[in-house]
Amino acid sequence: MNPSLSIYDNLGGEKVIRRLVETFYPKVQADPLLGPLFPEDIDPVMEKQYMFLSQFFGGPSLYSDTFGHPMMRARHLPFPVTRERAEAWLACMTEALEEIGVEDALRDFVIARLSGPAFHFVNTP
Ligand code: HEM
């Protein structure tokens, strides 16, 4: 991990973010707590997540350029996000990072950066 580069560049840019998203969502769909919240056609969700994570990790602002201000907590309000679901989401992301071969230090850094938003989106006891 090179601390003077963005997460986006540390991961390896567009191709790796795509591979991460494509590895992550099958895990989300298979998770008993998360799967039922998501539509059967996961492709549009994957595309939005690819756009969002690209910018969240310091790459091009693909999501905002298309959808405006992310307002991610607000966009999650229609869904019952519990603490357990935030933990499950982060566990799926940890597994996906490991599966695509991201080194431990970078993986831990990415998960730390995503943990803030994940627990911030909790809206249901
Ligand atoms: C905390 C646990 C989380 C749960 C249970 C959750 C669940 C969901 C659900 C159900 C959707 C809607 C799917 C649809 O379009 O029908 C969604 C959309 C989305 N989520 Fe999450 N999410 C979580 C955390 C996160 C985190 C941590 C991020 C990124 C930091 C994130 C980014 C997104 C994005 C970018 C979308 C698409 C928003 C849009 O419609 O434009 N989510 N999430």
Side-chain angles (χ1 to χ4, degrees):
M1 177 178 169
N2 180 343
S4 62
L5 294 181
S6 64
I7 289 179
Y8 183 85
D9 286 329
N10 265 289
L11 284 171
E14 172 176 350
K15 276 180 83 168
V16 178
I17 310 285
R18 282 213 182 273
R19 193 138 48 85
L20 176 61
V21 167
E22 283 162 10
T23 307
F24 173 67
Y25 277 101
K27 298 181 189 303
V28 167
Q29 287 180 299
D31 185 279
L33 286 175
L34 301 174
L37 299 183
F38 286 83
E40 207 172 306
D41 180 9
I42 202 73
D43 289 356
V45 181
M46 291 212 292
E47 187 59 22
K48 285 176 172 175
Q49 189 62 276
Y50 161 71
M51 296 169 94
F52 181 79
L53 287 181
S54 292
Q55 87 181 45
F56 185 77
F57 290 155
S61 55
L62 304 177
Y63 187 92
S64 294
D65 292 351
T66 306
F67 302 109
H69 194 287
M71 305 182 302
M72 269 306 146
R73 188 172 194 280
R75 290 192 207 264
H76 284 79
L77 284 179
F79 308 99
V81 182
T82 59
R83 206 185 152 78
E84 291 72 25
R85 286 194 168 110
E87 281 162 0
W89 192 101
L90 291 165
C92 290
M93 185 57 77
T94 303
E95 276 182 39
L97 287 161
E98 284 169 356
E99 211 167 298
I100 68 167
V102 172
E103 52 155 330
D104 293 4
L106 179 56
R107 175 204 62 204
D108 291 350
F109 189 71
V110 170
I111 290 299
R113 287 295 312 275
L114 288 168
S115 295
F119 290 111
H120 179 62
F121 299 164
V122 171
N123 55 30
T124 304

